Amino acid sequence: MELYELTAHELSDLLREKKVGAVEITRSLLDRIEKVDAKVGSYITVCRDRAIEKAREVEGKIYRGEANSPLAGIPMAIKDNMCTEGVLTTCASRMLSNFIPPYDSTVVKKLNAEDVILLGKTNMDEFAMGSSTENSYFKRTKNPWDLERVPGGSSGGSAAAVAACEAVFALGSDTGGSIRQPASFCGVVGLKPTYGAVSRFGLVAFASSLDQIGPLAKDVTDCALAMNAIAGYDPLDSTSADMNYPDYTRSLVNDIKGIKIGIPKEYIGEGIHGEVKKAVLEAVETLRRLGAECEEFSLPITEYAIPAYYLISSAEASSNLARYDGIKYGYRAEKFTDLLDLYKQTRSEGFGAEVKRRIMLGTYALSSGYYDAYYKKALQVRTLIKQGFDQAFSKYDLVVGPTAPTTAFKIGEKADNPLEMYLEDIYTVSVNIAGLPGLVIPCGMDGNNLPIGLQLIGKAFDESTLLRVAYTFEQNTDFHKNRPRI
Amino acid sequence: MEYEIVIGLEVHAELSTKSKIYCSCTTEFGGEENTHCCPICTGMPGVLPVLNKKVVEYAVRAGLATNCTIADYSKQDRKNYFYPDLPKAYQISQYDFPLCKNGYIDIETDGKTKRVGITRIHIEEDAGKLMHDEWDTGTLVDYNRCGVPLIEIVGEPDLRSAEEARAYMEKLRSILQFIGVSDCKMQEGSLRADVNLSVRPVGQKELGTRTEMKNLNSFRSIVRAVEAEAQRQIREIESGGTVVQETRRWDDERGLSVSMRSKEEAHDYRYFPEPDLVPIVLDKEWVEGIRASLPELPDARKKRYVREFGLPEYDAEILTSSKVLSDFFDDAVKQSSNAKAVSNWIMGDLMRILKEKGMEVENIPFPAGYLARLVGLIEKGTISGTIAKKVFEKMFLSGKGPETIVKEEGLEVVSDEGALTAVVRKVLDNNPQSVADYRKGKEKALGFLVGQAMRETKGKADPQLINKLLKEAMDKA
Ligand SMILES: [Zn+2]
């Protein structure tokens, strides 16, 4: 087996036993990127020299016994919407195509403190708006399982990089499913933590009340290790939860006896692809066999989750993206007649179609005369969705279901039909709306040899139960061992 | 027809916290362009605001000092609009749940007290400043003021004249200074007002259509703008037209206002709750602690001056109109037995000299104790009132103590009979006509002769003694 194929915990063991050095591992990953990224297109920026330099430094630290983190010397990737000091951070937009942040996001600071090696910044849908990574100004990322298909989105670059062994693990962000759906499409483990568990400081905002950073990894153990590194209270983020965070690796227990699991009827009814449904129900059977108590229940107003999500997220986005005006940084139109024209030209040329669509939708939803009918209504739906989950969690420890209605679709297949694309998020948005943690783990392959992901939804700040159930599932199945051939 | 003017003011005051409202940058005024800023206050991608707790405390102090109810729950909202001085393209403000509401202050005009309602006080962030560059190739922007905390004090439309508007602004300024939440320097823009104004025929109940004039930053411009806008609206109505609801820009140089935008063109700010911040939930005990820590407010201090020192209401009002002035008075009084005399000096010569020199009270080059000592020198008879005025002027020039000036310049009152007898002799010899008039019973002539003697001694003679010596000499002969 090649070094780039190993998980973080496997590499960490080798590093600690001094069987291999951080530089060697980093080179292995960089060479892999060199070899396959022209086909996959996971990265917008690869920081080759920087990565090797950092690996040298960390290697020294490891030899001197100064690097204690299990992630020390592990090369990883970061979605291009998290600010990295001195490294281009584009959000896959022309608008920020020249933006080099003067500061690090909190997650990057935390990962640096763990001595991880940053390989580069991954491709995504522009400003994280999309479910296929087709809305990138720079390139299209391909699904490593089938290069004619999308990797999902918006964290498609991060998911593809992990699946194609171009990064040991990666960070993504999830506003309505942007970690979980690409994890499902690419056959990796993805975790969207509870809102407030991971600092958003330095994450370029899409929808502030929904955005959350989380890991994409080859297995559940790596996911827990990454969570240990990035979760925690941050005084720079007012919405960050000030509490004691657990050691997530303590949840890696192969035992789910007595765990109560609910399966929402609405998630396995109309609209779901047959093979996906079959794999999910088989996974539920596996969980039952391993000792969990599983039953179906009804999660009301699921049908309103998508409209509520698109109103809230677009409203916030319309305000969050207003700062890209060509005045201070980023793209500025070359030709303009006056201030208003500078704004118009810059924003017309700097943003892609999907971003403009959401800005217009959000602006409309917040406009006087429409606010009550749209934005306020959406907030009311939000409250109801939260209540629905509260009720579910009074009975169950965990809610389990599909991640997306289908497996990875063909590039261009849904690009011209935004509504159909929006339905990709039907099983994921409620989790963001309710601020809950959601974990996706591979649970099967369809007839086209494309991965299917099982979604586990937990109580707020109960990532531990998600990890425990996922770990148990993983220990008793082989789906996570599948790797695409590129 | 007679018209009544109806005015409501929205006053913005910069809070004097050390750091900005959502980041740790300094709020210091002046500083080279774009040096008091960071990724947060310049709206870089990915940054988040964190509310400075001092700002809440200062705003609550302002609310309590203006008799407001303090909300135990309030929140912050985004006010969205594009302008280059607003880096995030939204201002974080408060929309439907302000920190303070339903307060009032008392103002005084023509000796009458009037209660003016305060609708609400909320916190928000200031914007940057646009500057046209020297080479005229474009516009530059300075973000130093971006994120400086402000309170907006929204007043009820209770004011009826330019004088009342001025009195309201002065009272607000004095209150904010007394409680130490704002330095209220209008020339630096740390206190400014939007004027909402309408007119209606006297006796009419419904309000007329109002206009708004933005960002007036001196008492003088507020008074002038109110007068001019009221006249404009009256002319409009008298000539058969109607007042249009609009925002107008006051041009202080030309002394008139011009239309900026109509109601139809008004911005839709698309307010919505700021998702990057959590609601402000205040503990009752904490608020009560702040209430207990409030210092003596201008109204209380004014009453104390009248009660304890027997000052006229008017003088007490002027003295308490500014915290620095009032503190100066208090300081001087502590070291003097004659508060009234100290007050008279401040109200008279001190104010006059400040005005002549274009100085502020905080720039007085000597401590308040010097004024107390000057008053003491007069009381002891060491110097005359006339000489004291000269000494006072010199104190402004040199900052030296009154005793030092008197000694250095030899200004003590001459009360040596021997030295003055010669002067009296000389004056009588030089003015035989006046002496004759006095003897004929014209008392006025004595006054003239005293004046001549004082002149002869350059004001240093003890006038009482001169008077006595002159009388004796003339009565004797
Ligand atoms: Zn700052």
Side-chain angles (χ1 to χ4, degrees):
Chain A
M1 241 183 165
E2 299 287 340
L3 286 173
Y4 60 74
E5 290 177 289
L6 301 178
T7 62
H9 58 93
E10 289 163 347
L11 288 168
S12 185
D13 291 343
L14 294 178
L15 279 165
R16 224 166 308 169
E17 291 158 16
K18 302 199 166 57
K19 287 184 178 155
V20 64
V23 176
E24 195 186 345
I25 296 174
T26 304
R27 281 196 197 283
S28 167
L29 267 299
L30 287 168
D31 291 349
R32 172 73 175 171
I33 293 169
E34 192 112 307
K35 202 172 147 211
V36 303
D37 206 49
K39 285 187 227 163
V40 182
S42 303
Y43 286 89
I44 290 176
T45 303
V46 177
C47 314
R48 194 181 176 91
D49 297 343
R50 204 184 153 108
I52 289 175
E53 195 185 317
K54 174 83 180 178
R56 281 211 185 92
E57 186 193 314
V58 174
E59 192 163 298
K61 274 177 115 174
I62 293 173
Y63 273 92
R64 292 193 300 274
E66 291 164 9
N68 303 315
S69 165
L71 292 180
I74 305 298
M76 52 84 66
I78 288 180
K79 187 178 180 179
D80 212 19
N81 61 350
M82 291 169 226
C83 285
T84 39
E85 189 178 345
V87 177
L88 199 62
T89 300
T90 67
C91 289
S93 179
R94 184 183 199 189
M95 194 57 101
L96 290 177
S97 50
N98 59 1
F99 179 66
I100 298 175
Y103 69 100
D104 272 331
S105 47
T106 296
V107 284
V108 169
K109 270 199 192 125
K110 279 175 167 273
L111 288 171
N112 278 337
E114 304 281 323
D115 294 312
V116 304
I117 314 294
L118 175 65
L119 291 168
K121 308 291 292 287
T122 54
N123 198 22
M124 54 187 279
D125 283 302
E126 184 179 7
F127 285 102
M129 296 173 187
S131 309
S132 66
T133 314
E134 288 167 293
N135 302 328
S136 165
Y137 171 66
F138 298 98
K139 56 164 79 169
R140 283 185 178 167
T141 300
K142 320 291 188 326
N143 191 314
W145 291 89
D146 178 348
L147 296 175
E148 286 181 1
R149 292 177 186 267
V150 302
S154 65
S155 311
S158 288
V162 173
C165 296
E166 295 180 86
V168 178
F169 73 101
L171 291 190
S173 69
D174 190 317
T175 307
S178 282
I179 288 175
R180 289 161 290 157
Q181 185 252 21
S184 175
F185 279 18
C186 293
V188 299
V189 180
L191 172 62
K192 180 224 108 75
T194 310
Y195 186 78
V198 177
S199 169
R200 291 185 296 118
F201 188 83
L203 168 69
V204 180
F206 159 16
S208 313
S209 74
L210 302 163
D211 295 343
Q212 191 62 196
I213 294 171
L216 293 113
K218 288 173 183 165
D219 67 8
V220 177
T221 304
D222 279 9
C223 210
L225 288 174
M227 274 302 281
N228 273 356
I230 61 172
Y233 172 64
D234 180 10
L236 292 177
D237 176 356
S238 310
T239 61
S240 150
D242 190 358
M243 55 168 232
N244 285 321
Y245 289 79
D247 173 355
Y248 295 101
T249 58
R250 300 190 65 155
S251 318
L252 305 174
V253 182
N254 186 357
D255 172 24
I256 56 164
K257 274 181 207 79
I259 293 261
K260 294 192 188 74
I261 293 176
I263 300 102
K265 282 190 192 112
E266 292 77 2
Y267 282 28
I268 47 174
E270 218 178 306
I272 188 167
H273 197 274
E275 285 179 289
V276 175
K277 182 174 173 176
K278 187 166 161 270
V280 167
L281 291 179
E282 275 170 15
V284 169
E285 271 318 302
T286 305
L287 292 171
R288 202 195 303 274
R289 188 168 48 76
L290 293 168
E293 297 166 21
C294 306
E295 67 175 31
E296 289 186 14
F297 75 104
S298 176
L299 193 61
I301 64 158
T302 297
E303 70 266 38
Y304 297 117
I306 288 271
Y309 167 78
Y310 277 93
L311 283 170
I312 293 168
S313 65
S314 302
E316 291 179 10
S318 71
S319 173
N320 282 332
L321 272 64
R323 69 187 63 190
Y324 310 115
D325 56 6
I327 303 287
K328 306 160 293 278
Y329 46 72
Y331 180 75
R332 177 189 286 188
E334 272 177 34
K335 286 190 190 131
F336 52 87
T337 52
D338 55 19
L339 179 64
L340 189 62
D341 195 45
L342 164 65
Y343 288 153
K344 281 185 180 170
Q345 299 305 332
T346 298
R347 290 169 67 80
S348 299
E349 296 165 20
F351 290 136
E354 184 58 31
V355 171
K356 284 183 221 170
R357 185 161 27 237
R358 309 255 187 138
I359 290 174
M360 281 190 280
L361 177 62
T363 304
Y364 185 75
L366 289 175
S367 295
S368 84
Y370 299 99
Y371 183 91
D372 287 358
Y374 296 113
Y375 188 70
K376 207 171 161 192
K377 257 274 150 41
L379 291 184
Q380 287 163 350
V381 171
R382 182 174 204 163
T383 307
L384 293 176
I385 288 174
K386 276 184 187 164
Q387 286 169 359
F389 276 110
D390 283 348
Q391 245 167 11
F393 285 120
S394 67
K395 282 179 82 179
Y396 310 113
D397 301 307
L398 209 63
V399 168
V400 165
T403 310
T406 63
T407 51
F409 47 88
K410 287 247 166 83
I411 291 171
E413 191 182 323
K414 299 188 180 185
D416 298 327
N417 191 339
L419 273 183
E420 204 178 303
M421 191 73 98
Y422 293 175
L423 285 175
E424 270 300 307
D425 302 333
I426 191 152
Y427 308 132
T428 47
V429 291
S430 298
V431 172
N432 300 77
I433 289 176
L436 303 172
L439 185 149
V440 165
I441 183 167
C443 72
M445 305 297 282
D446 74 358
N448 292 321
N449 197 36
L450 295 170
I452 298 167
L454 180 73
Q455 180 176 213
L456 316 177
I457 301 165
K459 296 175 190 168
F461 298 105
D462 190 18
E463 281 79 359
S464 298
T465 302
L466 291 186
L467 290 164
R468 178 177 155 200
V469 174
Y471 181 77
T472 304
F473 184 81
E474 192 180 76
Q475 290 299 303
N476 294 281
T477 56
D478 284 331
F479 303 115
H480 66 288
K481 290 179 184 156
N482 292 339
R483 292 276 181 272
R485 248 176 262 134
I486 303 159
Chain B
M1 201 184 299
E2 267 210 71
Y3 290 89
E4 181 180 45
I5 312 172
V6 178
I7 309 158
L9 295 185
E10 286 167 25
V11 176
H12 286 92
E14 271 183 5
L15 298 179
S16 48
T17 54
K18 283 205 175 63
S19 56
K20 293 186 178 181
I21 184 166
Y22 299 120
C23 65
S24 53
C25 291
T26 176
T27 56
E28 212 176 291
F29 186 81
E32 198 184 316
E33 290 80 10
N34 295 314
T35 54
H36 297 169
C37 40
C38 69
I40 298 173
C41 54
T42 53
M44 290 272 178
V47 296
L48 297 171
V50 175
L51 178 60
N52 177 350
K53 294 212 172 71
K54 271 276 174 227
V55 170
V56 179
E57 186 192 318
Y58 278 30
V60 167
R61 284 167 83 91
L64 291 171
T66 52
N67 308 294
C68 285
T69 308
I70 309 301
D72 43 16
Y73 172 96
S74 77
K75 68 178 175 70
Q76 294 162 89
D77 301 274
R78 289 189 188 175
K79 179 180 181 180
N80 296 285
Y81 64 95
F82 286 95
Y83 204 62
D85 67 2
L86 191 68
K88 301 190 296 293
Y90 57 82
Q91 178 196 33
I92 306 178
S93 180
Q94 293 193 286
Y95 183 55
D96 46 0
F97 289 91
L99 209 46
C100 321
K101 53 191 172 191
N102 302 331
Y104 64 84
I105 60 170
D106 291 331
I107 61 165
E108 206 142 313
T109 45
D110 300 329
K112 271 178 269 164
T113 303
K114 174 171 183 168
R115 184 153 287 185
V116 183
I118 288 178
T119 319
R120 57 184 277 168
I121 300 178
H122 67 251
I123 54 172
E124 59 185 29
E125 55 179 340
D126 207 348
K129 214 174 94 188
L130 294 189
M131 301 177 302
H132 295 280
D133 81 18
E134 295 164 41
W135 305 280
D136 201 30
T137 53
T139 304
L140 302 170
V141 58
D142 175 10
Y143 291 126
N144 281 355
R145 304 314 290 162
C146 252
V148 168
L150 297 176
I151 46 174
E152 180 172 338
I153 305 165
V154 182
E156 290 286 309
D158 290 344
L159 304 165
R160 294 291 176 270
S161 66
E163 293 70 46
E164 287 188 2
R166 188 194 171 97
Y168 173 78
M169 280 300 281
E170 283 180 341
K171 178 51 76 65
L172 265 188
R173 180 178 69 165
S174 139
I175 290 171
L176 297 178
Q177 286 177 339
F178 269 68
I179 58 174
V181 303
S182 173
D183 56 18
C184 295
K185 287 183 182 158
M186 292 190 94
Q187 69 279 11
E188 289 179 9
S190 67
L191 186 72
R192 47 194 198 251
D194 301 342
V195 176
N196 288 295
L197 186 147
S198 64
V199 298
R200 63 182 168 192
V202 172
Q204 181 182 306
K205 277 227 153 157
E206 312 83 73
L207 292 171
T209 305
R210 68 186 165 88
T211 61
E212 183 180 22
M213 287 178 291
K214 289 225 171 257
N215 275 332
L216 296 158
N217 59 1
S218 72
F219 291 132
R220 183 174 163 272
S221 64
I222 291 169
V223 168
R224 292 180 70 213
V226 164
E227 282 166 350
E229 179 58 13
Q231 285 316 307
R232 189 192 69 82
Q233 291 190 11
I234 292 169
R235 271 200 312 274
E236 195 72 46
I237 295 169
E238 297 268 272
S239 65
T242 48
V243 175
V244 182
Q245 187 176 339
E246 62 185 352
T247 304
R248 299 179 69 84
R249 183 187 293 112
W250 172 251
D251 184 335
D252 206 37
E253 266 171 42
R254 289 158 68 202
L256 52 86
S257 67
V258 283
S259 178
M260 262 170 82
R261 54 176 179 261
S262 71
K263 186 187 171 192
E264 287 71 32
E265 295 165 309
H267 292 298
D268 178 358
Y269 290 119
R270 287 172 283 117
Y271 278 101
F272 76 104
E274 166 57 280
D276 287 330
L277 290 166
V278 290
I280 303 168
V281 179
L282 297 182
D283 178 50
K284 280 223 158 52
E285 262 176 52
W286 181 80
V287 173
E288 287 315 309
I290 290 178
R291 192 194 301 276
S293 75
L294 284 182
E296 185 184 40
L297 294 174
D299 281 348
R301 206 180 268 199
K302 181 183 148 190
K303 279 188 194 130
R304 177 164 64 83
Y305 288 175
V306 174
R307 191 180 64 235
E308 278 181 27
F309 308 133
L311 299 189
E313 287 261 346
Y314 177 78
D315 295 12
E317 176 83 23
I318 299 282
L319 286 175
T320 53
S321 68
S322 139
K323 177 159 185 345
V324 223
L325 184 62
S326 175
D327 285 348
F328 188 86
F329 172 74
D330 270 358
D331 234 23
V333 165
K334 263 183 221 143
Q335 303 169 61
S336 169
S337 54
N338 193 341
K340 229 170 178 164
V342 169
S343 164
N344 286 339
W345 273 95
I346 293 178
M347 298 288 294
D349 289 75
L350 183 95
M351 298 295 243
R352 177 182 53 80
I353 293 170
L354 288 180
K355 205 172 172 189
E356 281 169 10
K357 294 184 187 283
M359 276 165 71
E360 298 290 332
V361 181
E362 40 272 69
N363 303 329
I364 295 173
F366 52 83
Y370 285 14
L371 174 58
R373 273 149 55 185
L374 181 70
V375 170
L377 289 178
I378 304 165
E379 293 200 320
K380 274 187 280 171
T382 314
I383 52 172
S384 68
T386 324
I387 290 293
K389 280 179 191 291
K390 281 188 198 158
V391 173
F392 196 55
E393 298 255 6
K394 297 215 152 112
M395 282 160 63
F396 263 92
L397 287 177
S398 65
K400 286 180 184 168
E403 299 85 356
T404 317
I405 294 170
V406 167
K407 194 170 282 169
E408 279 177 6
E409 315 238 337
L411 298 173
E412 293 97 339
V413 165
V414 182
S415 38
D416 171 12
E417 273 203 37
L420 292 181
T421 310
V423 174
V424 165
R425 194 69 266 154
K426 193 177 167 193
V427 167
L428 292 178
D429 287 350
N430 288 348
N431 299 283
Q433 186 58 50
S434 298
V435 175
D437 287 349
Y438 174 78
R439 287 193 176 131
K440 275 184 215 147
K442 285 191 184 167
E443 282 289 323
K444 249 186 170 176
L446 179 62
F448 173 75
L449 291 168
V450 171
Q452 292 301 304
M454 292 304 290
R455 192 187 210 174
E456 199 66 36
T457 59
K458 296 197 173 71
K460 288 189 290 180
D462 177 348
Q464 242 54 67
L465 191 55
I466 288 284
N467 202 308
K468 185 184 137 224
L469 291 175
L470 278 170
K471 263 181 157 172
E472 278 174 9
M474 290 190 287
D475 292 345
K476 218 189 290 167

